[in-house]
Amino acid sequence: MALPLLPGNSFNKNLGKEKFHKSQHWSYCNKVSMLVGEDKPGIGGEPLPGQKLKPKYSVFPRGVGCDAPSWVAFDKQVLSFDAYFDEEVPDKNQELYRIRHCKIYFYLEDDTIQVVEPQVKNSGIPQGTILRRHRVPLPPPNEDQFYTVDNFNIDTDLIFYGRRYRIIDCDQFTKNFLRKMGVRLNCPVKCPDDPYTKERQKLIDSMKPLRPYERFDTLQQFLEHDGHVLRFYGVWDDTESMFGDVREVVLHYFLADDTIEIKEVIPLNSGRDAVPLFLNRKKLPKYGPIGLYQPGTITDRTVLNVFGGLVGNKGRYILDNRKTGAVHQEFYKDCDLSIGSVINVWGRKIVLCDCDEFTKEYYRTKYGVKDFTPIPYKAPPPPKVERKFPPYHGFGSEEDSLCSCTGLLPKPPQKDFKKFMEKDRQGLESNLLRFLAQFITTDPIDKDRKFIVSYYLSDDTIQVFEPPQRNTGIIGGKFLERGRVKKPGQELYKAELSEYYTAKDLYVGAKVCFHGHVFLLVDADEYAFNYMEKHANEFPMANICVILDKLKAIGEPRSREIKQIFAAADPQHTTTIDYDEFRNLLLNISDRNLSEHEIMTLGRYYSLRDKNEMDTTYLLAVAQEQLKKNSFENFGQLLAVLVYNDRSKCEDCKEQVNYKKLVDGLNWRDHPIPVFQTILMPLQYEDEWRGEPPTLPVKKVQYLPLMVDLFGNEDS
């Protein structure tokens, strides 16, 4: 009984134009000549009475595949069969036929068949694809039909275009698929031997070469160990010879071909020539008590003289297959190398003292070696001789004179270019610390003089400038040229470099001596305070944590008394006191152990400052000026864009921006703002600072947060 044709498992019928079948013929219908055939159905596609339709494609039972189209359900699914065919050879007496093996592939998606013959070495026959993939018709008299999956089974014959193929086996997938279709598979059969190939193999086996040779196949060793190198560190003790010493070498053993290469480690300034290799890469022979062999003793083949000297000068020589007089030479292998072993390198004894990690892992895996204790072979380094420089002679700078002692070719001293690029002036960052200084003197004229001490962070130079003052009789100007300043009390002619003033040596309250002039730093500009507080790790006088720890260590034993002193200074209980009174209290509490800069840092940290807000009119004036320069007048579109991008659509809320009021304020055409003449906070250029107090001086200090940070939240 034929299985029903499932719509989901039917193959695509639009595969191209097919040939006319012999079952089709011409006939007349309603006096019209037309092509009719045996498989033409009746009205509505129903078969006529007694008519049996032949399926044009493979029919699969229910449960095989899925309801998807065949080219989807059976995509990349191929049935593979092992087959052979015999080919007649009429023009040779040695053979009458040949057995040729092939593979038959049946593609389930479209019932196409492909026949491929595997390549056989030295066959002399063009092999490969015998039958290209296409639908193969059945042999006559059924050439109007094509091969389907039902025509395939083991131990059956298939005829493709007059050539008979015998199926002998198939793969596991094919067997499982055919069993699911209900096909009873036959048992696999053995492929017959090709008589010509069999006779030729017998001939090859019986042949004996006239010149026998041993074949050493090292390809497998090369493929497995190509690039694998064992590394040993050793020494060659040559102290017995004249002017000999201990030489360090590195031995490389190449696992790909069992060759050895040795390199010598030549130390610096040893006076030896830097040769490329101590031993070129080759197999290293072992030498026992026999010693070296003469040239020609070791050869690949051994020749025997049959007649000797019996027949004059003529002789007959044959190849010695038994290798009677051959000399067997042994070479060093990987099993001969280990830490502590001694190898003979053409008469030189080399002791292996250590190896690298790859070598240790190799011997640990292959030979089970676990002890890799190295042998100390390197001599202890000689004591480092301290380099002593001559004292400074007074000509030029100390750094320049020192450079002439460090090398044969004098070079100028190197400047810290990285520091210069980081600390050079960049925009509003001047990287310049300025302090207000006064003379420490009893002279009433010099006592009132003021100086501006400028410290340049880019190159650690100092410059002193005296601002001119009216009615003093002293002409102001540059007091000290910009340069590095040495600290006082140092010897002039010495071998060590002198110490110079650095940034951390300058702070408010510090006493400095510049070339015999003693200054007291009494104040600094706002940028200096901000910079030192920002880089508190470099300036301990501006580090609030260090100052609090210092003050806590001083006042912790009498914390209750200190709290009462600060509370008495605030009779109104405002929690704030004046800065001058705050300064005097800290000086008394610390017994003047706190510097002025530390007290000012505390005052600035706990100060109560008035926050000046920027004038809104000034901001709108600046914005209108910029919009006017750029000729922007499309304020209506600006308002629409702002409203459109506002997702909340809540202009009446206090938290939201009134876009209409904002745009009206920016509209320089309809609501112009007069040109501003004054600014709330006048700009001060740092280059013009003459020692004036900061713009926002510290007036009030909150002492309660200071007490909490020092002594905690305990009540007094």
Side-chain angles (χ1 to χ4, degrees):
M1 178 179 178
L3 296 174
L5 182 65
L6 299 180
N9 293 337
S10 61
F11 289 132
N12 186 7
K13 299 177 177 59
N14 299 325
L15 297 175
K17 189 175 181 180
E18 301 179 359
K19 299 179 180 179
F20 289 110
H21 305 298
K22 74 170 189 174
S23 61
Q24 296 175 340
H25 61 275
W26 292 93
S27 180
Y28 287 91
C29 182
N30 296 330
K31 298 181 180 180
V32 177
S33 178
M34 61 179 57
L35 183 65
V36 297
E38 296 178 358
D39 55 350
K40 181 180 180 182
I43 299 175
E46 296 294 333
L48 298 175
Q51 185 181 22
K52 295 183 179 180
L53 299 179
K54 299 179 180 179
K56 296 183 179 180
Y57 294 88
S58 298
V59 179
F60 300 93
R62 295 184 181 275
V64 178
C66 59
D67 293 337
S70 61
W71 50 272
V72 175
F74 299 108
D75 183 31
K76 297 181 181 179
Q77 296 188 14
V78 184
L79 304 182
S80 176
F81 298 91
D82 297 330
Y84 73 92
F85 66 93
D86 54 352
E87 182 182 29
E88 184 180 0
V89 184
D91 299 333
K92 292 185 68 175
N93 297 330
Q94 293 85 356
E95 54 179 340
L96 300 178
Y97 65 93
R98 288 182 180 175
I99 301 298
R100 300 177 63 176
H101 302 270
C102 61
K103 286 275 191 180
I104 300 177
Y105 299 106
F106 183 84
Y107 295 85
L108 295 172
E109 57 181 294
D110 54 1
D111 282 3
T112 55
I113 298 174
Q114 183 183 12
V115 181
V116 178
E117 182 180 10
Q119 296 284 345
V120 179
K121 187 177 181 180
N122 297 328
S123 64
I125 303 174
Q127 295 171 325
T129 302
I130 298 177
L131 192 65
R132 289 183 295 178
R133 178 181 173 181
H134 67 287
R135 296 193 68 191
V136 180
L138 293 173
N142 299 319
E143 65 270 15
D144 58 332
Q145 303 178 29
F146 296 91
Y147 278 99
T148 62
V149 71
D150 299 328
N151 301 112
F152 288 84
N153 200 343
I154 300 176
D155 197 12
T156 58
D157 294 339
L158 301 177
I159 300 176
F160 298 156
Y161 300 108
R163 176 174 288 176
R164 185 179 298 274
Y165 295 86
R166 183 77 173 179
I167 299 178
I168 59 176
D169 202 356
C170 61
D171 59 1
Q172 192 61 36
F173 171 77
T174 305
K175 292 178 181 179
N176 297 336
F177 187 85
L178 293 178
R179 288 195 184 100
K180 289 182 181 179
M181 289 188 58
V183 178
R184 180 175 295 178
L185 293 176
N186 300 327
C187 297
V189 296
K190 185 178 180 181
C191 179
D193 296 332
D194 184 17
Y196 177 75
T197 305
K198 191 174 182 180
E199 291 295 330
R200 185 168 180 82
Q201 186 63 35
K202 290 182 180 179
L203 180 62
I204 294 175
D205 295 341
S206 62
M207 291 178 61
K208 293 183 179 180
L210 297 178
R211 295 183 179 180
Y213 64 94
E214 288 185 276
R215 182 176 181 180
F216 300 98
D217 188 7
T218 59
L219 179 60
Q220 180 180 0
Q221 180 183 1
F222 172 78
L223 295 177
E224 291 179 354
H225 298 289
D226 182 31
H228 296 172
V229 182
L230 305 181
R231 177 180 295 177
F232 289 90
Y233 305 97
V235 292
W236 171 38
D237 191 357
D238 191 33
T239 54
E240 295 181 359
S241 61
M242 185 178 296
F243 308 112
D245 55 358
V246 179
R247 303 190 188 184
E248 298 181 15
V249 295
V250 179
L251 185 143
H252 293 158
Y253 183 88
F254 297 87
L255 295 173
D257 53 359
D258 297 328
T259 55
I260 292 179
E261 173 187 86
I262 300 179
K263 295 183 177 180
E264 183 181 1
V265 180
I266 301 177
L268 297 176
N269 300 325
S270 63
R272 298 188 181 275
D273 294 334
V275 295
L277 292 174
F278 185 81
L279 176 68
N280 289 331
R281 179 178 175 180
K282 60 177 66 177
K283 287 189 175 182
L284 183 62
K286 295 181 181 179
Y287 294 106
I290 300 178
L292 300 177
Y293 294 98
Q294 296 296 327
T297 305
I298 301 175
T299 58
D300 296 336
R301 296 183 178 90
T302 305
V303 180
L304 300 178
N305 190 351
V306 180
F307 298 108
L310 297 178
V311 189
N313 294 331
K314 296 182 179 180
R316 182 176 178 85
Y317 301 93
I318 63 174
L319 192 65
D320 184 11
N321 295 333
R322 302 295 181 181
K323 296 184 178 180
T324 306
V327 178
H328 298 282
Q329 189 176 21
E330 295 183 2
F331 298 92
Y332 280 103
K333 300 291 184 181
D334 55 349
C335 58
D336 302 321
L337 306 179
S338 62
I339 297 178
S341 61
V342 181
I343 61 174
N344 189 344
V345 182
W346 303 100
R348 296 169 176 84
K349 305 293 184 178
I350 293 181
V351 182
L352 303 182
C353 302
D354 199 0
C355 59
D356 60 358
E357 292 299 328
F358 173 78
T359 306
K360 295 178 182 178
E361 184 64 25
Y362 175 81
Y363 280 94
R364 189 182 296 113
T365 304
K366 185 174 181 180
Y367 297 105
V369 180
K370 297 181 179 179
D371 186 13
F372 297 99
T373 304
I375 300 176
Y377 62 97
K378 291 186 177 181
K384 190 175 181 180
V385 180
E386 183 181 359
R387 176 181 288 184
K388 296 183 179 180
F389 298 100
Y392 175 58
H393 48 67
F395 296 95
S397 63
E398 295 182 3
E399 292 80 5
D400 191 21
S401 300
L402 183 62
C403 289
S404 63
C405 302
T406 56
L408 296 177
L409 299 178
K411 295 181 179 180
Q414 296 291 334
K415 296 182 179 180
D416 193 349
F417 185 74
K418 181 179 179 181
K419 181 179 180 180
F420 173 78
M421 294 299 297
E422 292 177 354
K423 300 298 183 179
D424 193 22
R425 185 184 186 103
Q426 299 177 359
L428 298 178
E429 289 291 333
S430 63
N431 290 314
L432 177 64
L433 306 182
R434 277 173 295 202
F435 300 88
L436 180 63
Q438 293 179 348
F439 269 137
I440 300 179
T441 180
T442 56
D443 190 349
I445 299 178
D446 294 339
K447 193 174 183 179
D448 296 333
R449 297 172 64 180
K450 295 182 179 180
F451 301 89
I452 303 297
V453 178
S454 301
Y455 185 88
Y456 295 86
L457 296 170
S458 59
D459 54 358
D460 299 330
T461 55
I462 297 176
Q463 182 183 18
V464 180
F465 177 81
E466 183 179 8
Q469 300 183 32
R470 296 171 62 90
N471 300 325
T472 58
I474 299 175
I475 301 176
K478 187 182 297 184
F479 184 82
L480 178 63
E481 186 73 25
R482 178 180 176 181
R484 300 177 66 187
V485 181
K486 296 181 181 180
K487 292 183 178 180
Q490 301 183 75
E491 184 181 354
L492 179 60
Y493 303 104
K494 62 181 185 302
E496 297 80 11
L497 293 177
S498 301
E499 295 184 9
Y500 294 86
Y501 279 104
T502 59
K504 64 180 181 181
D505 297 326
L506 305 181
Y507 54 89
V508 178
K511 297 180 181 180
V512 293
C513 180
F514 298 155
H515 302 294
H517 300 277
V518 183
F519 295 91
L520 174 65
L521 305 183
V522 296
D523 200 357
D525 64 349
E526 186 66 19
Y527 179 83
F529 282 117
N530 292 333
Y531 183 88
M532 297 172 75
E533 292 170 1
K534 185 178 179 181
H535 302 81
N537 56 339
E538 302 176 10
F539 301 93
M541 294 297 175
N543 193 333
I544 189 66
C545 297
V546 175
I547 300 173
L548 288 176
D549 293 341
K550 183 178 179 180
L551 187 59
K552 185 177 181 180
I554 296 174
E556 192 171 11
R558 48 195 184 101
S559 59
R560 184 178 297 275
E561 179 185 356
I562 293 175
K563 291 181 180 180
Q564 293 176 357
I565 292 174
F566 276 95
D570 182 22
Q572 304 296 332
H573 301 287
T574 59
T575 68
T576 60
I577 57 177
D578 294 337
Y579 174 76
D580 294 336
E581 190 171 0
F582 174 79
R583 172 182 174 276
N584 295 331
L585 290 176
L586 288 181
L587 289 177
N588 294 331
I589 292 172
S590 63
D591 295 333
R592 297 186 178 275
N593 290 326
L594 292 179
S595 64
E596 287 290 339
H597 199 114
E598 292 175 328
I599 297 175
M600 295 178 71
T601 301
L602 289 173
R604 289 169 57 86
Y605 187 78
Y606 296 101
S607 64
L608 182 65
R609 300 188 181 184
D610 297 332
K611 297 183 179 179
N612 292 321
E613 297 182 357
M614 185 63 70
D615 189 5
T616 308
T617 305
Y618 167 65
L619 290 176
L620 291 176
V622 174
Q624 285 191 5
E625 188 70 18
Q626 295 295 328
L627 294 175
K628 187 175 181 180
K629 289 181 179 180
N630 292 279
S631 302
F632 180 82
E633 299 182 3
N634 198 355
F635 295 98
Q637 184 178 0
L638 176 61
L639 177 60
V641 170
L642 293 175
V643 174
Y644 176 77
N645 291 322
D646 188 0
R647 299 180 182 271
S648 60
K649 308 293 183 183
C650 181
E651 296 184 359
D652 297 334
C653 300
K654 295 182 179 180
E655 292 80 5
Q656 301 296 327
V657 178
N658 192 339
Y659 297 115
K660 188 175 185 308
K661 185 177 180 181
L662 174 62
V663 174
D664 290 342
L666 297 175
N667 193 342
W668 57 271
R669 179 69 69 182
D670 299 337
H671 306 282
I673 298 178
V675 180
F676 54 91
Q677 300 294 337
T678 59
I679 304 176
L680 183 62
M681 289 178 55
L683 296 176
Q684 292 185 0
Y685 296 97
E686 296 180 352
D687 295 340
E688 300 177 358
W689 187 70
R690 298 180 180 274
E692 295 86 356
T695 307
L696 300 175
V698 179
K699 298 180 180 178
K700 295 286 185 178
V701 180
Q702 303 176 7
Y703 65 89
L704 283 183
L706 175 61
M707 297 294 104
V708 172
D709 293 341
L710 288 176
F711 312 116
N713 293 323
E714 297 180 1
D715 296 336
S716 57

